[in-house]
Amino acid sequence: GTAVTFSGTTGNATFTGIITATGLDINGHTELDNLSIVGVTTFAGAIDANNGLDVVGGSTLDNLNVSGVGTFTRIFLPDNHKAQFGNEAGNADLEIYHDATNSVINNKTGDLIIQNSADNKDVIFRSDDGSGGVTEYFRLDGGNTNMVASKTILYEDSVKASFGSSE
C-alpha cells in the first residue's frame, strides 16, 4: 500500500472505505462514529463510554466503576476476595466470600434477615447427607406456616428444649 503521513496538519481529513493501520497515534480530541479494533489495544488513560460498552470475550480490569444498572452473566471472585455491600469498601456492612475452606456470610450491622416473599413457598436448609448426596434437614414451610425438621434434632448435654410460651 501507499504510506500517508500527516505532520503538523490542522483541519479536517475525510476518509471513506476501510482504513487499515498497523500503528496509530492520536493526540487530542477525536470523534469516531464506529471504531473496530482487532488485537491488543492499550489505553493510557481512562475510557469514558457514555452510551454503553460492549465487551465480547474476556476482559481484565483492575478497577470497574459502574453507575446505573450493570448486567453481568458471571461474576467470579477468587478465594478470600469478598463481595461487599453497604457503607464503603473495606468497611462493608455485609460480606459474602469463600476463604478456601468455608463459605461465609458475614453481617456486621443490624439483623441478618433471610426472607422468601414467594407465595406458599419455603425456605429449605440442605446439607451433605454423609453418603455423597444432599438432603433437607430443616424447612420453614410457607404454605402451612410450619417449621419442619426432616432429621433427628440432637441437643447437647445440659441444653433444654422448651415447648409452649415459657422456658
Side-chain angles (χ1 to χ4, degrees):
T2 303
V4 178
T5 303
F6 296 95
S7 179
T9 303
T10 59
N12 296 327
T14 302
F15 301 92
T16 56
I18 297 173
I19 299 170
T20 302
T22 56
L24 179 63
D25 185 2
I26 300 173
N27 294 317
H29 180 76
T30 303
E31 289 186 26
L32 302 170
D33 292 330
N34 187 358
L35 176 63
S36 176
I37 300 172
V38 178
V40 175
T41 302
T42 302
F43 295 93
I47 299 172
D48 189 356
N50 289 312
N51 197 19
L53 175 64
D54 185 9
V55 177
V56 178
S59 182
T60 301
L61 304 170
D62 293 330
N63 188 9
L64 174 63
N65 294 317
V66 178
S67 297
V69 176
T71 302
F72 304 91
T73 56
R74 179 176 179 236
I75 297 174
F76 172 76
L77 299 174
D79 287 342
N80 296 306
H81 286 74
K82 299 174 181 179
Q84 298 181 324
F85 303 90
N87 205 358
E88 61 189 39
N91 190 23
D93 297 329
L94 175 69
E95 300 173 332
I96 302 174
Y97 63 98
H98 190 266
D99 68 5
T101 303
N102 301 301
S103 297
V104 179
I105 299 173
N106 184 14
N107 182 44
K108 297 179 179 182
T109 184
D111 295 326
L112 176 62
I113 299 170
I114 299 173
Q115 178 174 320
N116 182 359
S117 296
D119 287 345
N120 297 319
K121 297 300 178 185
D122 303 338
V123 176
I124 300 169
F125 294 84
R126 295 180 182 160
S127 188
D128 176 61
D129 66 2
S131 300
V134 175
T135 191
E136 176 184 311
Y137 282 79
F138 184 75
R139 176 170 28 104
L140 304 176
D141 189 328
N144 293 320
T145 63
N146 294 324
M147 292 184 289
V148 178
S150 304
K151 300 291 181 184
T152 301
I153 298 175
L154 299 176
Y155 292 91
E156 296 291 330
D157 292 341
S158 72
V159 173
K160 293 186 215 176
S162 296
F163 299 93
S165 59
S166 63
E167 285 189 40

